[in-house]
Amino acid sequence: MAIAKMKKITIIAKHSEKETVLKTVQELQKMELVDLETLEEKSELLTYYQRDDRRVNRKELEEKLRLIQETQAYLQAFLPIKGGMKKLKEGRKSYTLVELEQRIEKSSILTVCEEIKTIEIELRELDQLRKRQNEAESFLKKWQKLGFSPKNVDDFRYFVIKVGTVSIDSGLSLKLAIAQQKNSYFEEVYQTRDELGCMIVVDEKDLEAIEKILHHHHFMSLKYGYKLAPKEELVKLQTESAELIQRQNELKKQIEGYQDQVDLLQLGEEYYGNLVQREIAQSLLMNGTRLFILNGWLEEAEISELIEYLKQDVPEDSFVIMDDEIQETEVPHVPTVLKNNPVVAPFETLTEMYSMPKYDDVDPTPLLMPFYMVFFGMMVADVGYGLILLLATLAAQKLFNLDKGLRKNMRFFYLLSYPTIIWGLIYGSFFGYALPFNVLNPQKDVNAILITSVVFGFIQLLFGLCINGTILIRKKKPIEGYVESFSWVGILGGIGLIVLGMLVFNQSIITLAGSVLVGINVVGLLVFSAVQSENKLLGFGGGLYALYGITGYVGDLVSYTRLMALGIAGGSIAQAFNLIIDLFPPVGKFTIGLVLFALLHAINIFLSFLSAYVHGARLQYVEFFGKFYQGGGRGLKPFKTFEKHIYLKKRNSVKTEVKK
């Protein structure tokens, strides 16, 4: 339990079975492939084997995958969004690898993608055209007061017409300047916040003077790219726009008609994603004249299933499986797989969030689980809040088809609801109201709760030191195990006995026993620090310096006071909310008061759970893990199916497959 035993697996098979073997290993979803060329100790067989260059095949498949993904993303924008509850109830569908491949290979998914892509391109072109039409429509609307086409102004014989714009600041002064000129006329066509459009009519004889005025006011002549007058062009353009909008609507209806293809596109993404993964895997294989070699890491418990799968798909005389024990030099490269019972497994997320253990390390999950549960419950400590967490997580697991990760999280919080309820009973709190019974009263027994918090922390620290000492002894480092761990267990345990003898039991014998225990282990720490060092004097000095570490343990114990602080704070806030609601008259209390009660307590529930989650994890990561756990491992990265939209369903038994 905890860390699964791994084996180094080597599969040697005929070239003709390469695709089948890879597909079978992919379907197993539990084996991590290894590039043989990266191994420190390469087999002599590699002299006769070489890798394939799969770049061309992979590129073709990636292009098809990208086409399906882009089509799916584009199609989603036109489809109604599923409600959250409906989506949770439906969950992901499950297919066997055979069912998935049969579904896609019998379909015309790439044709569907091309059809949608064609519509997408036309719609995009129409959108661009519509934008240009909108710009043109805006332009023509401004100039529609002109009763002629500005393009024909040069056709007039006896006078000159100037059509253009000036800034709004220059508009008034230009109008006054033109008015002072003889044989000239100024007309405002439109006005916006920034500019003024105008028409100026002038006699040919006075054109030079007018042009100087226009230049002085930075007059910009109109560039008109249409044949007809603005109003006529506007009518024409609006007719074209209506036809364009109608075409857009027709195309959008066509797109909506593909909504029943969404599931097919999702399966297609899974299918081609699997093929891309297999192409990547093929680039890791070593190929000879007739055979190829596949190498990887696999749990020992899964080897029999791998053999069973291969026997179903590949003739027995076409492949060989070799499983080798992990060598000491290979340990740093071996991935870690955590294996725990259903109660402990949900807490693996805490370990993974910190760091995976190395393959030869200890899995801290079952060690932290009981402490985390106690600490979480103590920091929330309300029967009502615990019942809400219990019912909500239980309902989510029963009513909804949750994804694997979300289901694991629901199970995690479901388990945490029990210590929350238990500590709520100990504190006698139900939504902030005092129950008729309690073991510890948060208002009166603050010191007792504080001591309880520190005691829990003291126990966890000693436990962590014992684990570290045990690990060092297993690694054949008994002196280090004593100096770094068991000596401190004795020193801290002795101090604990002194405190008990002086403050709790008032028994000098207990105090004396604690003093002796502290003295023996202080001397032992100094002596063995000197023994394990080549320079005895320097080692003795190191032991003296190590004794200064007692201040660190004091700081660690102080950190556990947050168990008391958060528990009392959450309860006090709940009581404060209840006092506010109790101020309402009876009618208000059972109307708006109920709504306010639910809202305020919902906020407090969220903050209490968040604080307990974060601070509970902090106590594990800093105070507990700091005593024995380093992490630094990596999780298994199995060669598996895409599993973005569906889950892979295990195939039927051997007998059923053979019948088929």
Side-chain angles (χ1 to χ4, degrees):
M1 192 177 74
I3 295 180
K5 185 177 180 181
M6 304 296 290
K7 285 287 190 75
K8 183 170 66 175
I9 302 297
T10 302
I11 301 175
I12 302 177
K14 295 179 179 179
H15 272 297
S16 58
E17 304 296 342
K18 184 187 295 184
E19 181 64 27
T20 306
V21 169
L22 278 174
K23 190 188 299 185
T24 302
V25 174
Q26 185 181 39
E27 185 179 4
L28 183 68
Q29 303 209 102
K30 295 174 182 176
M31 182 173 174
E32 178 179 320
L33 302 188
V34 175
D35 186 352
L36 286 169
E37 289 190 343
T38 63
L39 296 181
E40 294 179 6
E41 297 180 3
K42 299 179 182 179
S43 170
E44 293 181 3
L45 288 172
L46 297 187
T47 308
Y48 309 101
Y49 287 78
Q50 59 185 2
R51 293 168 63 167
D52 267 350
D53 184 359
R54 309 290 301 180
R55 284 178 294 181
V56 176
N57 292 348
R58 181 176 166 184
K59 185 177 180 181
E60 291 176 357
L61 291 171
E62 285 176 341
E63 287 175 355
K64 291 178 181 178
L65 176 61
R66 186 164 51 252
L67 173 62
I68 292 172
Q69 289 173 330
E70 290 174 354
T71 304
Q72 186 185 161
Y74 184 76
L75 188 57
Q76 289 286 357
F78 294 90
L79 303 180
I81 300 174
K82 286 185 179 180
M85 296 291 285
K86 184 178 179 182
K87 192 174 181 180
L88 285 173
K89 284 183 179 180
E90 289 181 356
R92 295 194 191 187
K93 295 180 180 178
S94 296
Y95 294 83
T96 64
L97 191 58
V98 173
E99 290 171 345
L100 172 64
E101 293 183 342
Q102 287 178 347
R103 176 78 187 275
I104 297 304
E105 287 166 4
K106 290 179 180 178
S107 70
S108 54
I109 185 169
L110 295 178
T111 303
V112 170
C113 290
E114 293 295 342
E115 291 172 356
I116 295 174
K117 195 71 177 177
T118 301
I119 297 173
E120 179 188 353
I121 291 170
E122 186 176 353
L123 273 173
R124 191 181 296 119
E125 291 173 350
L126 291 175
D127 283 337
Q128 294 298 321
L129 181 58
R130 185 79 183 101
K131 286 179 183 177
R132 292 195 294 271
Q133 285 184 335
N134 286 338
E135 292 171 1
E137 193 172 324
S138 176
F139 170 80
L140 292 170
K141 280 181 178 178
K142 290 190 294 187
W143 294 101
Q144 64 181 327
K145 285 175 64 177
L146 288 176
F148 60 90
S149 172
K151 213 164 190 179
N152 299 329
V153 294
D154 295 334
D155 296 341
F156 296 97
R157 291 185 178 181
Y158 303 108
F159 54 87
V160 177
I161 296 178
K162 293 285 186 180
V163 180
T165 59
V166 293
S167 67
I168 196 70
D169 297 330
S170 302
L172 180 60
S173 59
L174 175 62
K175 184 176 181 180
L176 293 174
I178 296 296
Q180 293 173 4
Q181 299 295 316
K182 295 180 179 180
N183 303 319
S184 62
Y185 170 74
F186 179 95
E187 181 177 339
E188 179 181 317
V189 181
Y190 74 88
Q191 181 178 324
T192 65
R193 187 178 62 181
D194 301 318
E195 67 179 12
L196 182 144
C198 58
M199 177 184 72
I200 299 163
V201 182
V202 60
D203 193 294
E204 286 184 345
K205 299 176 182 178
D206 303 316
L207 179 60
E208 186 176 348
I210 293 298
E211 283 184 339
K212 288 181 180 180
I213 294 172
L214 294 178
H215 179 73
H216 176 73
H217 288 83
H218 305 290
F219 177 83
M220 299 288 294
S221 296
L222 174 65
K223 294 180 180 179
Y224 190 75
Y226 303 93
K227 293 181 179 180
L228 303 177
K231 193 169 185 178
E232 295 173 352
E233 288 288 352
L234 182 61
V235 172
K236 179 182 175 184
L237 185 62
Q238 288 174 339
T239 303
E240 292 175 357
S241 295
E243 293 174 354
L244 188 149
I245 292 171
Q246 183 180 354
R247 177 58 182 164
Q248 283 180 315
N249 292 334
E250 290 173 358
L251 292 173
K252 287 177 181 178
K253 284 183 179 179
Q254 287 184 37
I255 287 286
E256 291 171 2
Y258 285 96
Q259 61 181 321
D260 58 343
Q261 302 292 328
V262 172
D263 289 343
L264 178 65
L265 290 171
Q266 290 178 347
L267 293 180
E269 186 178 1
E270 296 281 346
Y271 174 81
Y272 282 100
N274 293 344
L275 292 181
V276 169
Q277 293 299 320
R278 288 209 285 273
E279 287 298 313
I280 295 173
Q282 287 213 37
S283 66
L284 300 178
L285 305 182
M286 302 304 295
N287 299 280
T289 308
R290 298 181 180 179
L291 304 174
F292 71 90
I293 302 175
L294 179 152
N295 195 268
W297 307 112
L298 182 66
E299 294 174 54
E300 184 179 43
E302 305 295 341
I303 294 175
S304 59
E305 188 173 13
L306 172 62
I307 294 172
E308 180 184 335
Y309 272 31
L310 285 171
K311 284 182 178 179
Q312 293 180 46
D313 300 334
V314 183
E316 289 191 41
D317 61 350
S318 298
F319 73 95
V320 173
I321 293 183
M322 295 181 289
D323 58 282
D324 301 318
E325 293 292 339
I326 306 297
Q327 302 300 316
E328 189 173 344
T329 56
E330 296 173 323
V331 168
H333 306 290
V334 181
T336 302
V337 177
L338 303 181
K339 286 287 185 180
N340 292 290
N341 63 52
V343 176
V344 177
F347 292 84
E348 291 172 355
T349 54
L350 292 173
T351 300
E352 292 166 0
M353 192 163 54
Y354 180 80
S355 178
M356 288 288 282
K358 294 178 181 177
Y359 179 66
D360 59 344
D361 204 350
V362 62
D363 177 14
T365 309
L367 306 174
L368 72 83
M369 185 270 292
F371 289 106
Y372 189 88
M373 291 186 72
V374 171
F375 295 167
F376 186 94
M378 194 173 181
M379 284 187 278
V380 181
D382 188 280
V383 176
Y385 292 2
L387 286 173
I388 285 180
L389 186 61
L390 172 67
L391 296 174
T393 52
L394 188 61
Q397 292 178 81
K398 298 293 183 183
L399 300 178
F400 301 133
N401 186 9
L402 303 174
D403 287 349
K404 291 177 182 177
L406 187 55
R407 180 169 289 277
K408 191 173 185 178
N409 286 331
M410 285 296 112
R411 176 73 178 168
F412 172 73
F413 285 105
Y414 168 75
L415 293 171
L416 291 175
S417 67
Y418 290 102
T420 303
I421 294 170
I422 292 170
W423 277 102
L425 293 172
I426 293 172
Y427 283 7
S429 176
F430 185 83
F431 287 105
Y433 290 108
L435 294 172
F437 55 85
N438 60 60
V439 179
L440 294 170
N441 189 323
Q443 305 303 317
K444 300 177 181 179
D445 303 323
V446 176
N447 289 335
I449 296 172
L450 177 61
I451 292 170
T452 303
S453 301
V454 174
V455 168
F456 278 132
F458 188 74
I459 293 170
Q460 189 177 38
L461 291 180
L462 292 183
F463 185 56
L465 288 169
C466 289
I467 295 169
N468 188 54
T470 304
I471 292 172
L472 289 172
I473 289 173
R474 286 181 178 176
K475 292 181 177 179
K476 299 180 181 180
K477 299 177 181 178
I479 295 179
E480 288 183 26
Y482 175 75
V483 171
E484 295 181 14
S485 299
F486 289 119
S487 63
W488 282 107
V489 171
I491 293 170
L492 295 175
I495 293 172
L497 288 175
I498 293 171
V499 172
L500 287 174
M502 295 177 64
L503 301 179
V504 180
F505 298 109
N506 195 23
Q507 293 288 329
S508 58
I509 187 67
I510 298 177
T511 304
L512 179 61
S515 300
V516 171
L517 189 59
V518 171
I520 290 173
N521 283 282
V522 166
V523 173
L525 189 151
L526 295 173
V527 170
F528 283 105
S529 293
V531 168
Q532 71 174 353
S533 176
E534 293 182 3
N535 188 321
K536 306 304 177 186
L537 186 60
L538 189 63
F540 185 81
L544 285 173
Y545 181 77
L547 288 174
Y548 181 72
I550 191 71
T551 57
Y553 290 106
V554 173
D556 289 341
L557 289 174
V558 171
S559 292
Y560 287 92
T561 59
R562 72 189 66 221
L563 300 176
M564 174 272 294
L566 289 173
I568 292 178
S572 299
I573 292 171
Q575 289 177 6
F577 289 159
N578 294 338
L579 286 174
I580 293 172
I581 294 165
D582 286 340
L583 295 174
F584 283 72
V587 175
K589 187 183 295 185
F590 292 101
T591 52
I592 191 172
L594 289 175
V595 177
L596 196 60
F597 179 88
L599 179 62
L600 292 176
H601 278 285
I603 295 172
N604 195 35
I605 287 171
F606 172 75
L607 293 177
S608 296
F609 288 162
L610 179 62
S611 299
Y613 177 80
V614 172
H615 288 283
R618 185 203 174 280
L619 288 173
Q620 310 307 315
Y621 295 160
V622 180
E623 277 69 36
F624 187 46
F625 281 5
K627 303 298 174 288
F628 71 96
Y629 183 63
Q630 293 182 346
R634 66 176 184 87
L636 183 76
K637 296 178 180 178
F639 170 46
K640 61 191 294 293
T641 55
F642 210 54
E643 284 197 308
K644 181 179 177 181
H645 304 287
I646 66 167
Y647 284 126
L648 190 71
K649 187 167 57 177
K650 276 198 171 185
R651 65 169 71 176
N652 296 327
S653 65
V654 180
K655 292 181 180 179
T656 307
E657 288 293 328
V658 170
K659 286 180 183 178
K660 288 185 179 180

